[in-house]
Amino acid sequence: MAALASAESSEEASNAVGDIDNEWWKTAVFYQIYPRSFMDSNDDGIGDLRGVLSKLSYLAETGITATWLSPIFQSPMIDFGYDISDFKAIHEEYGTMEDFEELIAEANRLNIKIILDFVPNHSSDQCEWFIKSAAREEGYEDFYVWADGHINEDGEMEPPNNWQSVFYGSAWTWHPERGQYYYHQFTAEQPDLNYRNSKVVEAMDDVITFWLDKGVSGFRVDAVNHLFEDPELRDEPLSGKTQDKSSHLYTEHIYTKDLPEVYDMLYHWRNLLDEYTEKHGGPARIMMTEAYADLKFLMDYYENADGSKGPHFPFNFFLLTDISQTSDARDYVFNIQKWLTYMPRNHVANWVMSNHDNPRIASRLGVDSVDAMNMLLMTLPGVAVTYNGDEIGMQDFRDISWEDTVDPPARNVGPDKYKEVSRDPVRTPFQWSGEKNAGFSNADKTWLPVHPNYEELNLEIQKSLEKSHYSVYKDLIELRKLPVMEQGRTALEVISRNVFTVTRSLKGHSSILTIINTSDEEQMVNLLEVLDEDIKQLTVLVSGVNSIYDKGTEIPQEDFEHFILTPQEALVCMIE
C-alpha cells in the first residue's frame, strides 16, 4: 500500500542531510490556528500574534510540533485576512513584525514549526498592485484579469461572460477608472491576479522568499485550483442544478477551476522551496495545498508523469466532505482507501476532519463521535490535521444572530438564508476556561460571540479530569511516536455495516488496532474475523470518554468473538 514511504527510504533521506530532519512533516500533526479566535492579548476582542505566542507552551505541552496560521497579513478584513493589501506586512489588529519575529524565536525554542497561509489567487482591491493596475501604470497593466464588457439588447453594459463568484453574484465588477471589468472568484474586493503574466509570478516568488527569510517552515496554499481561468473567457455550460444565475452552482466551472496550468505553478513553487532549503540548510520547507477538487486531479499535485514534484501533500478533504452522520463503516473505509489507492507510491497521505470553512467534528458527526474521530485521524498513516478546538470537542455556535454575523457569503445572501452558508459558527473563540469570554479575552464584546457552552466545555476543565477529550488527544499524539505508527503498513477492514478497523503493522513491533463503531447503537462484532487465531489478547492503549474499557484493560481471546462496542465508541489497542 502506498501509504508511507518505506522505513528504509525515510532513513536514507535523513542520513543524507546528517542530523537535519527533512522528513519531519511526514508524520506530523499540523495544528491549525485561526489567529482571530485563538487568544486575545490586548483585550480588543480580537485574537492576535502575542496571544498565539502566549499559548505556544500549550501546544508544546500537548505534543504539537507544527502549526499553521490562517492569514495574518495586512488586510481591510473584508474576508478576514484572505483579502491581502500588503503581502509582506502584519495586519495591525494582529500586532507587528516584531511580534511575529518573537513568535518565530519562541516557536524555534519549543521545536514548533510555523506554517503560514499563502493566498496567491487574489489580493485586496486596496493592494498597491491593483491600484496601479487599475490606473494602467507601466508594468502593472495586466497584473489582474481585466476584460471589456458588452452592450446587451437593452443598451446596458454587461460583464464579459456568465462566470459567477464562489461567494454569489457575478464574478465581474466594473471599474470606472479603468473602464473595464475585473475578475474575482470571491468577493468584489478580492480581484484575481493574472498568473499568465510572468511579473505576477515573480512578485509572488518574492513574497514566499520574504517569509522564508523570516524563518517560517512552509506554507498552506489557499484555493490553488482557482489560479487560472480560460484566456478566451468563454461562457461556462449550465449545470442544471439551479435557475439562480447568481449562484455558483448555476454553471459547470470548466473554464475557471482546475485548469492544467495549475500544476506547473505548483511544481514551480515546490522547486523554489527545495532550492531555498538546499541553499540555506535546515529542515525541509514544505507546501500543503487547499483545493476541493476531483481525486485524480489532486493526485497529480503530488507529482506528474515526468517526476516533477508539487506540494508535499494536497489536503485530503474526503473525510470532511463525503462523511456525515448517516455514513457507516463502509463509507469510511471507502473514502480512506480511495486516497491510499490513487496516491502515487512513496508519497504521504493526510487526513482532515474539519477546518475554518466547515463544521467541526462534534457538530457534523455528533458530540459522542469526537474521541473516535480523533482516534481515526491519529492512527491513519501520514499527516494528521487538527483544527484548533477539536482536541477538546468544541462545537459550532449555530445560533449567531444576523446582527453578529460577519462572514461575507452569509452577509451576501441576506438575513433569511445566512445560517445556511455562514462560516462564523466554526470560527468562534477558543474555549480556554470558564472565565469571562471563555478566557479568550477580557473585552466587553468579542469579534464573534463565544459559544454559550463554554462554562461546561473548556480546556481548563478537561485538564483537571482523569479522562477527557483532551487527555485522549494527548495520548494519541504520544502514540504516534511509536515506530509502527510512523512507518507501519496499513490495513482497513469492514467487520460489519457499522464497525471497521484500522491495523498498523511493522516487522519486529507489536501491531496497533483501532476499532470504530460508527453508529448510535451498541454493536457486537467478531474480532476473530480480522485477528489471527494465535493472538492471545488486546491491550487498550487509548479509550474514549464514554468507553466501557479503561486504558490498560486486557481483552482476552475468549472475548474476541462477542466483542461489545457502545454507541460511537472507538478503541486503540496493542495486539499481543
Side-chain angles (χ1 to χ4, degrees), residues 135-154:
R136 299 181 189 266
E137 187 170 317
E138 185 177 353
Y140 290 90
E141 300 95 331
D142 298 320
F143 236 65
Y144 295 81
V145 181
W146 297 97
D148 295 326
H150 59 83
I151 305 299
N152 64 21
E153 55 190 26
D154 296 325

Side-chain angles (χ1 to χ4, degrees), residues 403-558:
E403 289 72 25
D404 285 334
T405 294
V406 294
D407 188 35
R411 300 298 301 184
N412 283 351
V413 300
D416 294 333
K417 295 183 177 180
Y418 78 97
K419 286 188 177 182
E420 298 175 17
V421 299
S422 180
R423 297 169 297 177
D424 290 339
V426 311
R427 299 176 176 184
T428 54
F430 192 96
Q431 292 161 213
W432 296 102
S433 70
E435 298 175 359
K436 179 181 179 181
N437 294 322
F440 163 72
S441 173
N442 288 317
D444 291 334
K445 183 178 175 62
T446 54
W447 81 282
L448 279 176
V450 176
H451 197 299
N453 69 2
Y454 75 89
E455 292 184 350
E456 296 80 36
L457 199 167
N458 63 67
L459 177 66
E460 185 176 67
I461 287 178
Q462 293 198 13
K463 279 188 169 185
S464 71
L465 299 174
E466 185 176 344
K467 183 179 280 191
S468 66
H469 296 315
Y470 178 67
S471 66
V472 169
Y473 187 82
K474 278 192 70 175
D475 285 346
L476 290 167
I477 287 205
E478 189 65 27
L479 181 77
R480 285 174 63 86
K481 298 176 183 178
L482 295 176
V484 67
M485 301 305 295
E486 292 189 337
Q487 304 165 12
R489 290 184 172 274
T490 305
L492 296 110
E493 293 201 49
V494 175
I495 302 182
S496 70
R497 183 166 294 204
N498 296 309
V499 179
F500 72 98
T501 62
V502 180
T503 305
R504 304 296 306 281
S505 57
L506 181 66
K507 187 176 181 180
H509 297 265
S510 295
S511 296
I512 302 295
L513 178 74
T514 302
I515 316 165
I516 297 177
N517 175 11
T518 64
S519 79
D520 293 327
E521 298 179 356
E522 182 180 286
Q523 298 293 316
M524 179 184 291
V525 293
N526 182 3
L527 293 181
L528 294 175
E529 295 179 2
V530 294
L531 297 174
D532 293 337
E533 59 183 22
D534 60 345
I535 292 170
K536 303 303 181 188
Q537 71 175 30
L538 300 176
T539 300
V540 177
L541 300 178
V542 185
S543 63
V545 171
N546 299 316
S547 177
I548 58 175
Y549 304 91
D550 292 325
K551 185 165 61 173
T553 298
E554 295 177 350
I555 303 168
Q557 187 185 59
E558 53 263 31

Side-chain angles (χ1 to χ4, degrees), residues 263 291 293-302 314-315 318 339:
Y263 294 128
D294 176 76
L295 178 62
K296 288 185 178 180
F297 188 86
L298 283 176
M299 288 302 128
D300 284 342
Y301 278 21
Y302 278 115
F315 274 151
F318 289 105
W339 189 275

Side-chain angles (χ1 to χ4, degrees), residues 179-303:
Q180 282 186 305
Y181 285 91
Y182 65 88
Y183 177 61
H184 52 90
Q185 295 229 31
F186 299 95
T187 71
E189 294 85 359
Q190 293 169 291
D192 272 42
L193 288 155
N194 176 18
Y195 278 88
R196 300 185 188 281
N197 182 343
S198 62
K199 292 180 180 179
V200 171
V201 177
E202 291 171 10
M204 285 313 224
D205 286 357
D206 185 54
V207 169
I208 291 173
T209 302
F210 174 86
W211 290 107
L212 290 174
D213 287 345
K214 288 289 182 184
V216 305
S217 295
F219 302 90
R220 173 266 191 190
V221 191
D222 179 70
V224 294
N225 53 336
H226 294 274
L227 287 176
F228 288 86
E229 38 298 306
D230 176 35
E232 297 179 26
L233 306 183
R234 287 171 284 186
D235 275 353
E236 293 186 316
L238 304 188
S239 68
K241 296 176 182 178
T242 178
Q243 297 303 309
D244 184 354
K245 294 183 179 181
S246 295
S247 170
H248 195 244
L249 297 175
Y250 185 65
T251 62
E252 297 290 347
H253 303 290
I254 63 172
Y255 295 134
T256 57
K257 190 179 175 186
D258 298 328
L259 270 64
E261 293 93 328
V262 170
Y263 294 128
D264 290 334
M265 196 69 252
L266 293 177
Y267 302 152
H268 167 79
W269 283 330
R270 172 63 185 270
N271 187 59
L272 188 157
L273 292 172
D274 288 348
E275 287 184 349
Y276 188 96
T277 300
E278 184 177 349
K279 178 179 178 181
H280 295 274
R285 279 70 164 184
I286 70 149
M287 172 172 55
M288 45 195 189
T289 53
E290 181 211 33
Y292 295 86
D294 176 76
L295 178 62
K296 288 185 178 180
F297 188 86
L298 283 176
M299 288 302 128
D300 284 342
Y301 278 21
Y302 278 115
E303 66 176 34

